Amino acid sequence: MADKDNSNWKEALKSTEAFNDFITSYFKDHKELTGSYDIPSYYEHYTVHLDSHDGIVITLVTGVNEVRGNATSTLPFKQKEVMSIEDFRNLILHKKFADQNMSLADVFQTVAGVPDSDDHKE
């Protein structure tokens, strides 16, 4: 099913209406998409959902994991990005994500600014 979803979103990119229908349907079925990136000293967590008024809402929470022996810890930083479905479609088209072997979750992760977990293994 994941392969079907992967090809469907790429096919839907070809038209504004098809992509809008795909994203609307996707979030009816999934409600939200979540992901995270964690290394011993740093973390990023994101959620993506579709708001009927605002469009696609990406919430990113980043922070520094407490280091042993350090009594103070940094509060997490929360950032929210809002974009229309069409702006998201254009972002994908201009970044040429559709030409790569990426899932929709990979694209949301990239848009949220979360590094690929394979890039920084410790």
Side-chain angles (χ1 to χ4, degrees):
M1 175 110 178
D3 288 340
K4 185 180 177 194
D5 282 346
N6 199 33
S7 63
N8 286 349
W9 79 266
K10 290 179 181 182
E11 186 64 29
L13 279 171
K14 294 177 182 176
S15 96
T16 300
E17 297 79 17
F19 193 69
N20 188 65
D21 291 347
F22 177 83
I23 291 293
T24 302
S25 176
Y26 180 88
F27 281 107
K28 279 182 186 171
D29 292 343
H30 297 90
K31 304 297 180 218
E32 75 176 11
L33 179 73
T34 61
S36 64
Y37 170 77
D38 288 285
I39 59 173
S41 59
Y42 179 78
Y43 65 88
E44 295 183 353
H45 303 279
Y46 72 92
T47 60
V48 182
H49 71 275
L50 185 63
D51 181 277
S52 60
H53 180 263
D54 292 331
I56 294 175
V57 179
I58 302 171
T59 304
L60 179 65
V61 177
T62 59
V64 177
N65 291 323
E66 187 173 330
V67 179
R68 290 183 193 166
N70 184 356
T72 62
S73 63
T74 307
L75 293 174
F77 175 71
K78 187 175 182 178
Q79 176 179 341
K80 186 165 119 174
E81 177 80 27
V82 177
M83 67 181 69
S84 71
I85 293 171
E86 181 58 13
D87 286 346
F88 181 61
R89 184 178 87 91
N90 281 312
L91 179 69
I92 293 170
L93 289 172
H94 288 98
K95 295 261 185 181
K96 306 219 183 293
F97 293 123
D99 297 336
Q100 299 175 15
N101 189 23
M102 295 181 80
S103 69
L104 186 59
D106 294 334
V107 174
F108 277 121
Q109 175 177 320
T110 302
V111 171
V114 178
D116 188 326
S117 59
D118 292 338
D119 291 347
H120 301 296
K121 296 217 178 212
E122 289 191 4

